[in-house]
Structures are given as C-alpha cells and as structure tokens.
Amino acid sequence: MQWLAESLVAKRGIGWAKTPQTHELSEAKQGVYHYTIGPYSQAVLSIQPGDRVIVETRDAFEGAVKTEDDLPSKVLRMPFVNPQNGPIVIEGAEKGDVLAVYIESMIPRGPNPRGTCAMIPQFGALSGTSLTALLAEDLPEIVRKIDVDEQGVYWSKRVTLPYKPHIGTLSCSPEIDSINTLTPDQHGGNMDLPDMGPGSITYLPVRCEGARLFIGDAHACQGDGEVCGTAVEYPSTTSLRVDLIKNWAIEWPRLETEHMLMTIGSARPLEDAARIAYKDLVLWMEAEFGFDRWDAYMMLSQCGIVRLGNFVDPKYTVGTGILKKYLA
Amino acid sequence: MQWLAESLVAKRGIGWAKTPQTHELSEAKQGVYHYTIGPYSQAVLSIQPGDRVIVETRDAFEGAVKTEDDLPSKVLRMPFVNPQNGPIVIEGAEKGDVLAVYIESMIPRGPNPRGTCAMIPQFGALSGTSLTALLAEDLPEIVRKIDVDEQGVYWSKRVTLPYKPHIGTLSCSPEIDSINTLTPDQHGGNMDLPDMGPGSITYLPVRCEGARLFIGDAHACQGDGEVCGTAVEYPSTTSLRVDLIKNWAIEWPRLETEHMLMTIGSARPLEDAARIAYKDLVLWMEAEFGFDRWDAYMMLSQCGIVRLGNFVDPKYTVGTGILKKYLA
Amino acid sequence: MQWLAESLVAKRGIGWAKTPQTHELSEAKQGVYHYTIGPYSQAVLSIQPGDRVIVETRDAFEGAVKTEDDLPSKVLRMPFVNPQNGPIVIEGAEKGDVLAVYIESMIPRGPNPRGTCAMIPQFGALSGTSLTALLAEDLPEIVRKIDVDEQGVYWSKRVTLPYKPHIGTLSCSPEIDSINTLTPDQHGGNMDLPDMGPGSITYLPVRCEGARLFIGDAHACQGDGEVCGTAVEYPSTTSLRVDLIKNWAIEWPRLETEHMLMTIGSARPLEDAARIAYKDLVLWMEAEFGFDRWDAYMMLSQCGIVRLGNFVDPKYTVGTGILKKYLA
Amino acid sequence: MQWLAESLVAKRGIGWAKTPQTHELSEAKQGVYHYTIGPYSQAVLSIQPGDRVIVETRDAFEGAVKTEDDLPSKVLRMPFVNPQNGPIVIEGAEKGDVLAVYIESMIPRGPNPRGTCAMIPQFGALSGTSLTALLAEDLPEIVRKIDVDEQGVYWSKRVTLPYKPHIGTLSCSPEIDSINTLTPDQHGGNMDLPDMGPGSITYLPVRCEGARLFIGDAHACQGDGEVCGTAVEYPSTTSLRVDLIKNWAIEWPRLETEHMLMTIGSARPLEDAARIAYKDLVLWMEAEFGFDRWDAYMMLSQCGIVRLGNFVDPKYTVGTGILKKYLA
C-alpha cells in the first residue's frame, strides 16, 4: 500500500525498514490470559521493533458463551473478562517513546457461530449500571450467537452486516497502575473504536521499560458507541507489525489511517473524552504540521471528524480526526 | 430524486402530492427577526402543507461582524443573536402532528467575504464557559472572515474546504416555553447538525396550533461538534418544502436522508443526548419497522451511526442513525 | 432579629428602612397561576421596594393529588405543573438591579393531609427520565399523602420529620426567554434549595423592567438532592419582604442567612452547577470582601460549604457557601 | 463513648470485644510508601481483628513542599504522590467480608508550618485539567504553608480555621486492579470526605485475602468539594482500631458516626457519584432496617443528607446519609 510508505511509522519507526521477523502468539503459547493491564505480569514474548506478531485472541467472554443459553451472569466470573494476550516486550522501548501497532489483518478463528453479542445486566448505555446506579429493573439478559466469516456478519434472517473487524482493547502498560481490561484510559485499554481495524496504525505512549503490549477483544463489527454494551465479539487471528518511535512524548493514543489522523480520549462524561481528543489534535497540528494554534482550533470547528468508540465502558472513548489532505 | 418519492414525507405528508405554492420570505418581508422560539410572537407567513418557502436567512451574528476587527464582544448585544426567520404558520397543524421540512437548496447570499467564524470569550468546547465556569483566562477573541461560494469555503491560503451547507437552527414552537435561539431541545432549536443540509428531511414535533416554524443559522460547512463554538456562519437563500404529517406523536426531532434515518437528542452531559437519540431510534424501529425491541437495541450496537452536532451550545446535540437498507 | 439589621439588604435595599405596605396575593386575587416564567404574562400586582407580600401558594400539583389514588400520570396535564404566583412588578426595578426576597414565614394552608410526595414515572434521580433516557421499566408510581403542621411532617407511623419549610421556585423574569416552572437557571426557577426558607434572603438578578417576581412550590421539608423527584409539596401562606438593590450586577441567584453567604448555580452535569456557584463565590469574595482571588479560591477549598438543592430537575442546583465570620 | 458501644462494628466486629493489641506503623517501619493500592505490593504489618494501629502518615506531597517556593511542578515527580502507609494485612479477612476502620485520633506531626495547600497546574475544579482538557492557560501555581496544631489551622492573619482533621485516602485492595492513590473508587481510595475523621467508622469491602489496608493523605481541614484541588495537607499520627465483619457483602464504602449512617459513591459525572450513594442507602435501609424500598426512597427525598467529598480527583466522591434516629 502506497500510503503506508508515507505514514508516520514509516518515517519515524526505527524498525520499519527492516525485514520483519514473524512471531506467533498462539493460545497455547499465551497460556494464561490477562485481566489487568499493568507492569506486574510476566512477559510472554519479546520482540524487536518492526517485527510481526500473529496473535490468537480470545473473545471478550473467553469462549464461555457457547450457546444462547449461556447467560453471562451465569458463566462469567467478574472481573475475569476481556482476556488479553501479552504482555509483549519490545526491546529498547522506554518511557517517553511511542509504540506503533499496524494491524495487517484480522481473520475469524474457531467454529461458527463464533460471534457473540449479549445484553448483560447492569451494562449498556440504555440501562442502569454499576456507575449510573438506578433502582429500575435490569433489562432482560439476552445472548445472540452469530455466524461470522470474512464475507459478513449474519445477524439475523433479515439482516447481514458487513465484516468490519477491529481490535477493541490495545494497550501499553501504565507506569504503576494495573488497570482492568474493561476500562480505557491514557494507556489505551478498552477503547472499542471501530477505526482501529486492519489498515490502521495505533500509536501508544510507552510508560515503562519494554512498553509491554497487550491486545485482545476482537470485534467482527460494531456500531458507533456500542450501545447495548457488546459488539459482535469473536476469537481472531490478528496480524500486527509493531514498531518503536523514540522520543515522541504523547499523552493519549493516536491513530492513523490512509486518509486520516486521529487523536483519542477516554473519560466521563462524554464531552470530556471529546475535549481530550480535540485538544490533543489542536496541539498536534500546532507542534508537527505548522498550524497556528487558534487557526487549528477554528479550522477543526469546520472539518473535524468525531468518532464515538464506546459510551458503555467505565470510561467513554472518542476519536477526533482530520483528513490528511488538510495537513499537507 | 427517486428516493424522495419513497421517503416518509412522500408517504405520509398530506400536501406532498400537490403542486406546491411558492412563498418568499425575504429579509424585507421578515422585517424583525426573532431571538426566542415560542408561542408568543406574531406569525410572518401562513402556508398550506406541501408549500415551498424561499427564506433569506441572516447569519448568526445578524451581519454585525463585517470585518475581522468586529469583535463579537463589541458588536453583539446578548441575548440578541442567532436571528430566526418565522414564525411560519402551517394551516391545520395541531399538537400531536409532525412538521416535515425538506431542504431543497441553500445558496450563499450577499457580498464576500460572507462567511464568518469566531472564537468568542466564554464560548467553545475547549474554553471555560458560562456553564462550565472556570477561573482560567479566556482564550483570545478572534474573528475570521471567509470567502464562500457554491464551489468552496476558502478557509486559508493553505486550505479550501468543501461547501457543505446545513441549517443550524430549525424548530417548531414549544407549547408554553419561549426558548432562546442558542439552545437546542425537544423543539429542535440550535442543533448544529451537519446532516441537516440540502436533500435532508427534518421531522419536528408540533406542539401548538399552526406549528410555528422558525429557521435560521445557515452554516457553509461545519465539523463534528463545532468545537470552537462557531461554524462558517453565512447568510443564505434557503429553499424548503414544508409538509404536515397528521397524528404522528414524536417527542424529539428526526431526520431522513437518502440512505439513513436518524433520531436526534439534545441534552447535557453528552451521553444523555446520545441516550435520548438511541432510545428513540430503538423504539422507532420497534413501532414502525417490525423489530423486536431487544433485537433493535443489540443490532444498533453493531451498525448504529452516531453524529455529533454540537458540544458547545447550552445543550449538546447528537444524532443516531441507521441505514435504511437494514430496515427493509 | 439582630443579624437582619446587618444584612446586605438592610445595607443596600432602597426600601428596607421604610414601613412596609402589606399586599395580599390570595388564590382569588392570583386567579390564573403561571407555568412559565418570562416577560410575556400580565402582572398581577405592583409593589414598592420594601413592601410585604403575603402569598397563597398552591402545591406543585396544583391540588390535583388529593388522595393516594390520584396518580400524577392520571391527574396532571403536562406541562401545566408547578403553578406560580405572580408576576409581581416592583416599581423602579431595571435590568442590572437585584431583587432581594426575605422570607418572613411559611405557614401551611388547607386541610390535612395537605402534604403530597410522589414517585412519578420518568422522574427522580434513581430512575430513567426524559433526559437520561433508558429502556428500563419505570419505577412504580406511588403517591403519599402526609399530614403537615408547624410542629412536624408526619411521614409515617415510624417517622416524624421536622417542619423545615422552604420555597422551591423563586424567580425574576428572564429578559426574553419564558422558562417552564420545572427548570432552574440564571433567573432562579425551580432550585429546590432547602436553605431558601424562612429567615433567608434571596438575591435575584433583575433582567427586565419591573423585575417580575414569580413564587411558588412550597416544600414542608426536603432532603438534599430531592432524590425521588418530589419533596413534601404543600400549599402555603408565605410572607415576603421584597426590596430592590440598584446597580448590583449579578449573574446568578445568591442567598444570605444569619451565618452564611451563598451563591447558587444550576446546570448539568452536577459538577457544572457546583463550578458556577463556587466561581461566583470566589469572585464575590474578591469584589466585595477584600480577598485576593487565589486566596479566596484556596480558602474555600478549606471551608467552603456545598448544599445540593436538586439533582432531579431539568437542571441541577448547587449552593456554595461561606460562613460570614470568615468574611469579617 | 456510649454510641460506639451501639455501633455496627461493636455489634458485628469479631475482634471488638477483646483488648486490642497496639501496633506502631512509624515512618521507619513503613520504609517505602505506596503510590498504588492493589494486591501486588508486600505487606508491612499483620494484625488481628480488633487491633489498634498507630500510623505515621506523610502528607500528600511526601514532605517535598517545604516552603512556599517549592512549587509542585518542580518538586513532585508524577505519579509518585499521595503516599500511603500499608498494606496492613488483617488476619482472616476474605473476599466478601468488611473491614471496619474506627479513627480514634489524628495528631499533627513534625515542625510547623506543617500544613500545605497548593494550586497545582491542570488540577482543581475551576481549572482545565488532564480530564477536562481545555486550551485555556493554567491558573497560577501557588503554594501556601500553614501552621497547624490541635487548636486551629492558621490560614492567614485574617482567618483561623478550626482543626477538623480527616483521612483523605483509605482503602482495602481491589481484587486485581492496582489503582493510583489519586483515584477513589469502590475500594475507597482518595475520597477526601471530611466526615472521615476522628470518631468515624469506615466500612470497606474486602476483595482479597487479608484485606490489605492502605491509609494516608491526612487533612487538617477541608471544605466541601476541595475546590482548589488540595486541602490543608499535613503529616499526622493517626490512631485506628481495625476490625473485621464476616460475610457482609457491600460494594462501596460506608461510614458511621454518632448520629448518622452514610453510603459513599465515587464516579463522574458528579450526579453518578450521588446516584451510587443514594441507591446504596435505599437498599441498605431495605435490607437491614426494615424499610420498604419505595418508602426509603421517598423518605430520603425528605431527609437525606448529601456530603460532597471532592470534585477534583479523577473520580468525584459523594456521601449520602441518614440520621440514625430515623432508622430506629
């Protein structure tokens, strides 16, 4: 792909030009999956900047929801959900660097119906939750099992949705916190941003030695906001190239696609997530693309793109983008 | 346009089939513009369902910002901003009906630079405001005057943005409130939703006799969220067809385009605006498109579209949509 | 009362020193009550600064909930609730002045059980509402009729609560908006602040000629936040002294009691209401009590008092106070 | 104290009746303080239920702000702030139990001026922050050093505030998360609730073996909301009795004082913190005090007490209380 050769990672990544070594992170090799993202767990793999890793992710229910009778409240044991592969250590990564994660492909894994969507008690945007605590009755608990392949997501007899996969949870380790895998924050985490699919490059701030990359939570498709609380969750084989950009201090994750640069914020209430992202985009345009700060701010008021990842997780995630052509 | 013949207004509007009479609502005919939307002002025009109205809207500053030296804090007198044309009475409209407003075209009006964007003290998403009250210094007050024509918005030497006009403020009167034109709510108001442009149909709940349509606040283009607080504000000649759908009780505005149906909520915090819109969309799919409520909810979690209108006005506006093809 | 002689209204009110004339605003004299607060309704009474008005307020249900079988969803017709007495014109009041309302006494009116509390569908802090829109079932609709006298509020066999009355809704008219009586904002409105009882002085910004005072919504007692959505609503005979302070530009209501000065903000989310109030208090301490701005800010971090009025109305209300002894 | 003998811990604590053993947790014994609260650090002390611990807490700046010239942005190294003593293991504590922490006394420690208050860039309720991200300039960075003794907090020549100490941060370990000491949540954490002082009993949910108690962040006094971001931070000698209540599953911290029971929620936006707390109080009244759920809900609407801990930390903290006399 031509644009990839012009991408930020191609220009700044210290390992991009080399021939990547390919590592497999299969279920067997992973062994124990992780439910927090932090500095206290043992690395499962060590790679060089620029290397490729082929990861077997488990679905967010870790395969426990096999049929529509497997209600999450019965088969899940909180907080042990949304299992993550990793941590993968990237040699040479230090606090103050950035990890670039280019998603090459995401392929469904395992037998159909491999997709799972669920309405979970006390979860979802149109329900009382543990954080928006109400006295109302819970919504019914419902599981949907869905056939998924690379041609489509077979939602119902009436509706087939496109297969538009993305990674729901992608992170480097925080410096001292160990954060459950349901929560997005400055480290990445459970952002559930549909733009984070094949062909995208995510830039994550490195906060501890080796960066400690975690990945999981593949979605076969997802609407903006993930309103009921879950996407079409499925096990995947995801191929990544992981590179390192030295001395690029960013506070929050960023994302690049063929046509767009995006900044990402996670917070509550939702406007605070959008503020984080838009502020970061203004300052990025000023720092690296030659814009006056106020010109950038006013111009984004005319051409900024807002993408709602989720408004169901413990923090909500918003991406704000600008077309690259306006940065030229 | 073929899709228009299949639209909701074509199916349900009582005046759509007839040959529309065309009314002109010029600046001269309007005379006094309005700064609140309510039942207490005098009608400027009375039309039949299905009629066309060609409206000369003033820009949100009512033309007072003529040069980049005309600072809003100097030339505006609050709360007399965002002037509205109307109210237009639609004969036969009663509480419990819906007004359909199809925007046929929006043409720039007046001499260039006819576009205005401003950073206004205590306004905008990345500033303290009268509602998010802080002790921080205001951002600098800056005015940009911009040439606008139907080919483009000439933002700067570096950047030309596409001309993608929409109507920022569109309303029927509330039943008893008279609401300033800066605030969006159930009646419509200052939604600042970029989808509300030519080729769209907005459905507004009728709350009092004659519906009392107000319109104003044309934007030559606008990014998602209108982050600095203003779009490229400009005077327009906007052509509308206005029709009436009897006995369709909706609580909030809705919108139809060629490929999408959308519901619209306005509230703070931002997640509440999104909740309103998504709930309304779920219940609409259940009531009129044969979906089970929970199937609709879970499916929107996979294919729902979120559009952020503004997160700078006294209430924030979110539209949530679904492609029509999934409703077939 | 000694402190009253030292109060702000005693020092600045233009009519405080005179012998007040007493006006009666009985139910009969009021005739039609009001459901919006604005400049468009006809004055019911005109008084001089410093005069006394004895007002017969109706309860927030306008007496329609007579028994525990009178469910609000049956006997109320929205938006015609929370009826207000007024508008009372204060001669000489102009935009930029402040109206001072000293509540002398509140006496229960009408036969027992004269108190009413209700759980209303789509209302209350622990329920989905029209603004926090959810798919959850409504809570049950329940009415409680409660005996109230000046000795107590006889909640149940088990619990008698103290009679601690306050006025829920108190306002001057906005300049151009006409705001439903459920919503608090800069004009006052439905603040539901328990401190606004007998012995308190409320200072309201005047925004139009004659100030146009509205009053209603007496509560026999109320907890912080009014969590279920209603207080012990009751009809009262409320005695006020109303005075005028010229040329005191305030943006939001303020309140004075024997020991405390308080600023009041109304907004969503709740932190924004608190920000408005605390900012106003900092600037007040700087402008009138000789504090350095940052000293005031840091000192309130050590001794500021926060009072939650409601977090159930369309905007939430927070009062922030400081003991007068720290201002000496 | 008589009431203590009737308290919940006296009735249910397994070690309350015994003669407590007294442990000293001096600075020297503590050695390394902690900046996250979680299951991954090494216990510093092991005690029996009912024992007393006398803890030497460091101030939130760990003593680094010695003069008014020691600006936090210079002398602090984020995220290494708000140091905690502990973890203290309570023998026999298991997930599903509750730890009761009775604060006996808090005595100032070290030389005067031992109190510190600061305005820190990007921190405080009336400033843009890392979570409410704005483009506004930061407020000035200011340090105040304050003399503190058991008679008063000597704020300025003009103002002496009462010495009303409380513990800002009190926690049991989460099950798998390790949470920075700035953030309050279900585990307790940085609640900054002024009621949590000498004479109060805090009940904390136990989530892992041994409970793992952390404590720190003494405040010599604090206003509601801690508006500028910091209290009068100081080093203390705090004496606790710590007991264990078996099989009492609570989700959030609770607090008991002589006259009140309180529930505590931490979330953003602020109304969600209040919802958590009020819901928990309703359900507690139903579960343990014989109230019908809806009676409790409606009654709290008349007599509930709201206490704002902070609205400056990464989550905001609200306590909701009821007088014990109404539970009798």
Side-chain angles (χ1 to χ4, degrees), chain A residues 158 224 278 289 295 306, chain B residues 144 158 224 271 278 289 306:
Chain A
R158 187 171 167 179
D224 299 340
Y278 257 133
F289 297 94
D295 183 35
V306 168
Chain B
R144 288 285 287 272
R158 185 172 169 179
D224 299 339
E271 56 265 37
Y278 257 133
F289 296 95
V306 168

Side-chain angles (χ1 to χ4, degrees), chain C residues 2 32 55 71 96 110 118 124 152-153 159 192 240 250 276-277 284 293 297 303 309-310:
Chain C
Q2 185 50 36
V32 176
V55 184
L71 298 185
V153 174
V159 176
D192 292 323
L240 312 169
I250 63 176
I276 289 166
W284 193 9
R293 182 178 298 188
Y297 182 38
C303 66
N310 85 81

Side-chain angles (χ1 to χ4, degrees), chain C residues 194 222-227 307-309 311, chain D residues 278 300-301 303-306:
Chain C
Q222 186 203 296
D224 299 340
E226 202 184 15
V227 63
R307 300 282 293 125
L308 177 57
F311 72 123
Chain D
Y278 257 135
L300 287 171
S301 201
C303 66
I305 297 161
V306 168

Side-chain angles (χ1 to χ4, degrees), chain C residues 302-323:
Chain C
Q302 315 317 326
C303 66
I305 298 162
V306 168
R307 300 282 293 125
L308 177 57
N310 85 81
F311 72 123
V312 295
D313 295 328
K315 296 194 176 190
Y316 306 145
T317 299
V318 169
T320 56
I322 185 167
L323 294 179

